[in-house]
Amino acid sequence: MIYAKNGRFLLGGNGFSYAMFVDGQGFLQKLHFGGKIQPFDLDFLISGIGKIQEPPQDNPNREGYLDGMPSECPFWGRIDTCEPMITAVRSDGGVVSRFVYSSHRIYDGVPAVQGMPRARGGGQTLAVTLKDNFSPVEVTLNYTVWDELGVMVKNCEIANGGGDPIFLTRAFSFCCDFTDERFDVMRLWGDWGKERSPEISALAHGVTRLQSTRGVSSHQTNPFIALIKPNCSENIGECYGFQLVYSGSFALSAELGNKGQTRVIGGINDLNFRWKLDENERFVTPQAAICYSDEGLGGMSRAYADFIRAQIVNSKWVDARRPVLVNNWEATYFDFGNERLFPIVDEAARLGMDTFVLDDGWFGKRDDATSGLGDWFVNTNKLQGGLKPLIDRCKQRGLKFGLWFEPEMVSEDSDLFRAHPDWIIGKSGFEPVRQRTQLVLDFSRGEVVDYIFGAVSDVLKNNDIAYVKWDMNRYLSEFYSSALPADRQGELAHRYVLGVYRLAEMLTDAFPDVFFEGCASGGGRFDAGMLYYFPQIWTSDDTDGFERAKIQWGTSLCYPLSAMSCHVSACPNHQTGRVVPFSTRGNIASLGATGYELDLTKLSDEEKSQVAEQITEYKQIDGLVLQGDLYRLSSPFDSPFFCVAVVSKDKSRAYVVGERALTLPRDVNRIIRIYGLDDSKLYCVRELNLTASGAALKTAGLVAPKTGDFGSWTWHIEQVADRAGNKK
Ligand code: DGJ
């Protein structure tokens, strides 16, 4: 719902309202973001909070008093000394702007954001255009809301209305100000193998900036930030989430100003960003997905999960059954031929899997990580007869076949590099940084993207491939393109991301029946941008059953379980060396799109029967896991227990997985309260053979079973009757 009258705007989604007004100076100010209010409340807001935001009427230098005004588009060089949203350098070197309201329009649907991931449709959009008093620059702020979603989407378009070129040195997607409220700030930090760890700290005065400068959204900082009221916990209290639908270098900052005001702002990272905008050109920023929850962090996560599933993930795949697969990477690494792969295929079929995925090493001259990237043709020394015999073997055993690519990369020891040494990012004559001995292709160049599209398409056209794993194993460096003029070098990082999106769009359009999984050295590019093209992403290279639980917990704060690809791997774990029971590895991997990543032929008979059982069990609950609502019940970050429940939308079923870290002497009974069920319904907990109401399961809880170190358990909960005794 969007209401607009006399320079007052009210937007509403599921459980929240967002209000703005145009003040006496023409500035667009925020009035409210939080619980639902009505259009008639706008008068009250303007006469109350709006008044204190207006400058004193009798002061001749009124704008000098506006520092701290909750601005929808803060600009540089005048009234507002906190972080600006847009800085545009003009031909005379001047940067000062003064953006005031010019016009607005409301329309059904979402803004056209070409060539980038975006909300897909429905809803209603308010577009407010502001013009600069000092230059021909115009900014259009887009706000899209959906009645049924607890998330709104914001972005902006910046136009050079005439005259000389301008250079955007900052073009953020959104700004959201709060007047005099105290918050804690939450981020998801990490590194390779330990992605997306939640960290909460008090928001101190000054700027708290989260960013990636690596060309990808990164393992280290996810493009997400949340402001949390001090009394907010998992199930109660208010919080605000801000998530970018973007996969490249980004910045998100929260600033506590000296007047007590808080500003959250962000978008494409402005470090080394300089975008030339010729006359009449527009720059469109990525979208930001903004969420308000008064049901704690859990409410925010569920709102984000619903939004990503409804608006970001391709509807063809969102509810599709995910294949239970085996991937050969940790089983063989680069050392394979059909003689090693066939037995894995055979075993996978016997154990009930659906798909075999051949990982790195099948192409070019690729026996280790030093060569071959870019040469997307089969290495027939390793795979005699090409992929066909292996694919035939899969088919004969009733399995589909999946294949790994790393489209954005090239090895110096490759035919592609020898033919096109200038196709890399970097300046010739300067020694490039090599990570994993590879270089990054310059995807800002159309011909490079087109070539890779052709090469990958040939493999997909000529083979029966149902699944593609798209990997990306290094960050960007040298940020220089031999195809861009000097005054456009600051565009490279964003143009690279646009090239990645273009290839992803072309491939997913050309092969609509192929299921794509994203990956970036584990979870180095786990963001809503990539989820637009790839319905699931390899969550982390760390598959240790204990560490993985933490990674999945953190990831679930703003992404749905259906986005997480989760595998059972061998022990001792290849990343941590830890030994975790097989059942625990299976239980943790069941909380997403499950699979296996180990040498099935080396499993004991006991383990094989566990795999078969895990798959049978998973196929009973996969719909619930992928489509249900997540309730996090016990945090592995501040207790020895990890426990989460996935509850079906109709609240008739729930699936609970718990894991204990290290056992302690004289451990007391640990109660886990089950949230998310219907208080008035009766449920049976299969494993405990007991019946209780949803209210009892929430308020009294269940006792966590005793397990050894890293032991785990599941509770399958089914509705049996309502309070009146009516069976369902
Ligand atoms: C990194 C990925 O995260 C792994 O799963 C595997 O595909 C390797 N790359 C292959 O090089």
Side-chain angles (χ1 to χ4, degrees):
M1 184 283 296
I2 296 179
Y3 166 91
K5 206 168 174 188
N6 300 334
R8 296 151 185 218
F9 304 99
L10 180 63
L11 301 98
N14 185 2
F16 74 89
S17 294
Y18 194 96
M20 301 173 284
F21 79 117
V22 180
D23 72 12
Q25 317 278 302
F27 299 128
L28 184 65
Q29 292 199 36
K30 178 168 152 284
L31 272 175
H32 169 80
F33 182 24
K36 278 270 188 213
I37 58 168
Q38 300 301 322
F40 61 77
D41 290 322
L42 290 173
D43 282 343
F44 151 77
L45 286 175
I46 289 172
S47 61
I49 188 120
K51 272 273 167 316
I52 59 166
Q53 293 170 187
E54 282 267 28
Q57 299 290 329
D58 53 356
N59 192 299
N61 184 18
R62 298 175 68 201
E63 286 185 32
Y65 285 80
L66 286 174
D67 201 5
M69 175 186 88
S71 173
E72 281 297 303
C73 186
F75 41 87
W76 174 257
R78 271 178 80 86
I79 57 169
D80 188 335
T81 53
C82 292
E83 291 274 308
M85 183 166 145
I86 291 160
T87 50
V89 185
R90 298 185 280 276
S91 54
D92 65 357
V95 196
V96 180
S97 299
R98 187 177 188 275
F99 291 122
V100 291
Y101 172 85
S102 158
S103 63
H104 74 270
R105 80 188 175 101
I106 295 172
Y107 56 91
D108 287 340
V110 295
V113 179
Q114 295 305 327
M116 271 193 289
R118 56 209 172 260
R120 287 180 186 267
Q124 238 192 339
T125 298
L126 166 69
V128 185
T129 298
L130 312 175
K131 65 175 188 329
D132 187 0
N133 287 153
F134 303 144
S135 80
V137 174
E138 270 191 4
V139 177
T140 299
L141 306 172
N142 296 315
Y143 304 79
T144 304
V145 287
W146 296 262
D147 290 345
E148 67 284 8
L149 294 176
V151 168
M152 68 187 285
V153 161
K154 277 195 187 185
N155 83 327
C156 82
E157 297 170 35
I158 305 159
N160 178 1
D164 294 338
I166 60 158
F167 289 89
L168 297 173
T169 49
R170 175 177 283 191
F172 279 170
S173 299
F174 75 96
C175 172
C176 187
D177 279 5
F178 298 86
T179 313
D180 199 23
E181 288 175 86
R182 284 304 159 115
F183 293 102
D184 291 337
V185 61
M186 175 194 255
R187 72 202 63 194
L188 299 175
W189 75 280
D191 207 330
W192 175 84
K194 52 178 182 185
E195 297 89 340
R196 293 171 295 286
S197 242
E199 185 174 43
I200 300 178
S201 55
L203 181 63
H205 284 95
V207 178
T208 299
R209 179 169 161 125
L210 316 184
Q211 65 175 345
S212 164
T213 55
R214 298 165 194 259
V216 290
S217 49
S218 88
H219 301 87
Q220 287 74 9
T221 315
N222 200 257
F224 162 77
I225 191 170
L227 290 185
I228 301 172
K229 290 279 183 74
N231 63 354
C232 174
S233 60
E234 195 52 49
N235 296 300
I236 53 165
E238 291 180 296
C239 59
Y240 298 86
F242 305 87
Q243 181 182 162
L244 296 174
V245 185
Y246 191 57
S247 313
S249 295
F250 71 89
L252 281 166
S253 68
E255 179 171 12
L256 175 56
N258 292 5
K259 293 187 166 57
Q261 79 276 26
T262 298
R263 167 165 298 168
V264 187
I265 202 162
I268 296 171
N269 198 331
D270 53 333
L271 285 178
N272 196 38
F273 172 83
R274 196 163 184 268
W275 193 279
K276 184 177 180 189
L277 214 49
D278 282 321
E279 183 172 10
N280 296 326
E281 277 185 354
R282 288 175 97 71
F283 182 81
V284 180
T285 69
Q287 294 183 330
I290 299 176
C291 173
Y292 163 76
S293 161
D294 62 0
E295 288 178 22
L297 298 173
M300 175 185 70
S301 304
R302 290 185 289 279
Y304 270 134
D306 287 347
F307 165 75
I308 287 176
R309 289 171 47 75
Q311 285 297 328
I312 297 294
V313 176
N314 183 341
S315 59
K316 174 179 167 103
W317 298 111
V318 72
D319 286 335
R321 240 179 157 167
R322 304 297 167 79
V324 175
L325 58 88
V326 62
N327 174 304
N328 74 307
W329 179 242
E330 290 200 5
T332 65
Y333 293 104
F334 293 104
D335 183 15
F336 59 79
N338 285 336
E339 69 299 339
R340 270 198 90 182
L341 299 176
F342 281 10
I344 298 179
V345 169
D346 295 353
E347 201 56 65
R350 266 196 292 275
L351 298 176
M353 296 178 197
D354 311 306
T355 299
F356 169 82
V357 177
L358 181 60
D359 211 279
D360 195 353
W362 58 268
F363 50 89
K365 188 184 124 220
R366 184 79 169 167
D367 295 321
D368 55 36
T370 62
S371 61
L373 288 173
D375 294 344
W376 300 112
F377 43 83
V378 185
N379 179 335
T380 45
N381 290 331
K382 273 172 125 169
L383 295 169
Q384 275 110 38
L387 292 171
K388 191 166 184 316
L390 183 59
I391 295 178
D392 286 348
R393 184 74 166 205
C394 288
K395 279 194 191 157
Q396 286 152 14
R397 301 290 184 268
L399 295 183
K400 291 186 172 163
F401 180 76
L403 195 60
W404 179 98
F405 289 90
E406 193 174 2
E408 299 152 73
M409 297 292 151
V410 67
S411 307
E412 283 155 285
D413 185 1
S414 69
D415 291 351
L416 181 65
F417 184 77
R418 282 182 283 273
H420 299 285
D422 62 325
W423 275 13
I424 58 156
I425 288 181
K427 194 161 164 50
S428 80
F430 285 86
E431 185 73 5
V433 168
R434 296 171 184 86
Q435 283 185 315
R436 216 191 186 209
T437 58
Q438 63 197 51
L439 302 173
V440 186
L441 286 171
D442 183 354
F443 267 31
S444 74
R445 296 174 68 161
E447 72 273 32
V448 177
V449 172
D450 289 342
Y451 170 82
I452 296 293
F453 172 71
V456 174
S457 296
D458 283 349
V459 181
L460 297 182
K461 264 190 257 163
N462 297 328
N463 297 283
D464 199 349
I465 293 171
Y467 192 104
V468 163
K469 177 175 171 186
W470 174 322
D471 204 348
M472 198 282 185
N473 283 300
R474 62 157 290 177
Y475 307 121
L476 273 59
S477 55
E478 280 93 37
F479 297 97
Y480 187 90
S481 168
S482 47
L484 286 173
D487 61 355
R488 289 195 180 272
Q489 290 297 335
E491 301 177 11
L492 174 68
H494 181 53
R495 286 189 183 276
Y496 174 84
V497 179
L498 295 177
V500 172
Y501 290 152
R502 187 163 83 85
L503 181 62
E505 184 130 17
M506 288 197 296
L507 283 171
T508 49
D509 281 354
F511 301 95
D513 296 329
V514 174
F515 186 91
F516 281 77
E517 172 175 296
C519 175
S521 208
R525 197 164 55 183
F526 201 117
D527 55 63
M530 295 320 292
L531 286 171
Y532 183 84
Y533 307 99
F534 310 149
Q536 70 188 41
I537 297 178
W538 181 227
T539 315
S540 174
D541 275 344
D542 190 345
T543 45
D544 169 290
F546 175 60
E547 286 297 312
R548 220 357 155 85
K550 295 199 282 183
I551 293 167
Q552 292 173 203
W553 175 284
T555 306
S556 77
L557 275 150
C558 57
Y559 302 103
L561 297 191
S562 60
M564 294 186 219
S565 173
C566 308
H567 294 175
V568 176
S569 63
C571 273
N573 180 268
H574 292 198
Q575 282 72 36
T576 62
R578 186 181 283 121
V579 175
V580 168
F582 203 90
S583 54
T584 295
R585 284 176 268 156
N587 287 336
I588 297 303
S590 73
L591 290 167
T594 204
Y596 292 79
E597 182 137 353
L598 38 69
D599 191 342
L600 297 172
T601 63
K602 293 199 176 127
L603 296 180
S604 66
D605 287 346
E606 155 70 21
E607 286 170 332
K608 282 183 190 166
S609 64
Q610 285 197 56
V611 173
E613 228 173 84
Q614 284 169 353
I615 293 174
T616 310
E617 282 285 337
Y618 181 75
K619 289 187 174 175
Q620 313 284 318
I621 48 102
D622 56 350
L624 170 58
V625 167
L626 302 177
Q627 296 164 26
D629 284 330
L630 180 75
Y631 288 81
R632 286 179 297 263
L633 307 179
S634 178
S635 167
F637 293 95
D638 44 50
S639 85
F641 290 89
F642 162 90
C643 193
V644 300
V646 198
V647 181
S648 62
K649 291 274 180 200
D650 66 0
K651 298 194 180 292
S652 67
R653 293 170 78 196
Y655 174 62
V656 180
V657 174
E659 180 182 2
R660 172 187 215 108
L662 297 178
T663 50
L664 300 166
R666 308 190 76 186
D667 218 351
V668 290
N669 287 329
R670 167 71 189 219
I671 301 292
I672 308 268
R673 292 166 170 226
I674 313 295
Y675 283 84
L677 299 171
D678 184 330
D679 282 358
S680 65
K681 287 184 174 149
L682 269 189
Y683 296 90
C684 171
V685 184
R686 187 174 89 192
E687 288 79 354
L688 306 175
N689 194 24
L690 62 76
T691 301
S693 67
L697 287 165
K698 180 173 75 187
T699 55
L702 295 171
V703 182
K706 295 254 179 289
T707 69
D709 289 352
F710 309 115
S712 65
W713 70 92
T714 57
W715 289 319
H716 291 77
I717 300 178
E718 284 268 348
Q719 183 191 343
V720 288
D722 61 24
R723 202 183 261 157
N726 302 315
K727 289 261 188 271
K728 81 172 173 118

